[in-house]
Amino acid sequence: MERTMTLQTEQDMEGLGTRIARALPQGGFVALYGDLGAGKTVLCRGVGRALGLGHLSSPTFTIVQEYPTVPPLFHFDAYRLSDEDELYAMGFEDYLDRNGLILMEWADRVPDALPGERLDIEIAGSGVEARRVRLLPHGTDYERLVSEL
Ligand SMILES: Nc1ncnc2c1ncn2[C@@H]1O[C@H](COP(=O)(O)OP(=O)(O)OP(=O)(O)O)[C@@H](O)[C@H]1O
Ligand SMILES: [Mg+2]
């Protein structure tokens, strides 16, 4: 079942990412939606923190940033992709096969490439205002994750 929450601060958003990371299944996939400056990268930073990363920046120009954590973290930003073909051309299926944790900012750019089992996170709001976050699980692992958060 989906859940919505209101997060007042950047720290709250990062904390949500950390909690999600700790609950994600092996080979977990998180699709992030929301306008520029919504807080997608902030949430990803929280995921990275759960894996022991002190630093994580947006891979907008490189499309993907790979971190040698355990499990490995693959942070995608599809903002500059025009379609799924561009994602496949950069070896997306190999990333899926590597059983790491995948984060996809701007997932709405590549809807047909997203795995059926995943967590969708939509973030609304910008600037200094509070963010509305909608968590929409697809698949039993993610249903459980969202209900236990
Ligand atoms: N409650 C909040 N949650 C998340 N970020 C917040 C919040 N309040 C303020 N902010 C600020 O909003 C900005 C979010 O930036 P961030 O880079 O995470 O956005 P983004 O969604 O990744 O944008 P882009 O589409 O450009 O990648 C940060 O500067 C952060 O400090
Ligand atoms: Mg970002």
Side-chain angles (χ1 to χ4, degrees), residues 27-49:
F29 195 104
V30 179
L32 294 142
Y33 307 82
D35 290 339
L36 290 167
K40 302 180 293 297
T41 299
V42 168
L43 189 144
C44 292
R45 209 188 296 146
V47 170
R49 176 163 296 187

Side-chain angles (χ1 to χ4, degrees), residues 7-10 13 36-42 105-106 127 131:
L7 299 181
Q8 301 291 344
T9 68
E10 178 173 358
M13 186 69 75
L36 290 167
K40 302 180 293 297
T41 299
V42 168
E105 293 193 37
W106 289 98
R131 303 298 197 268

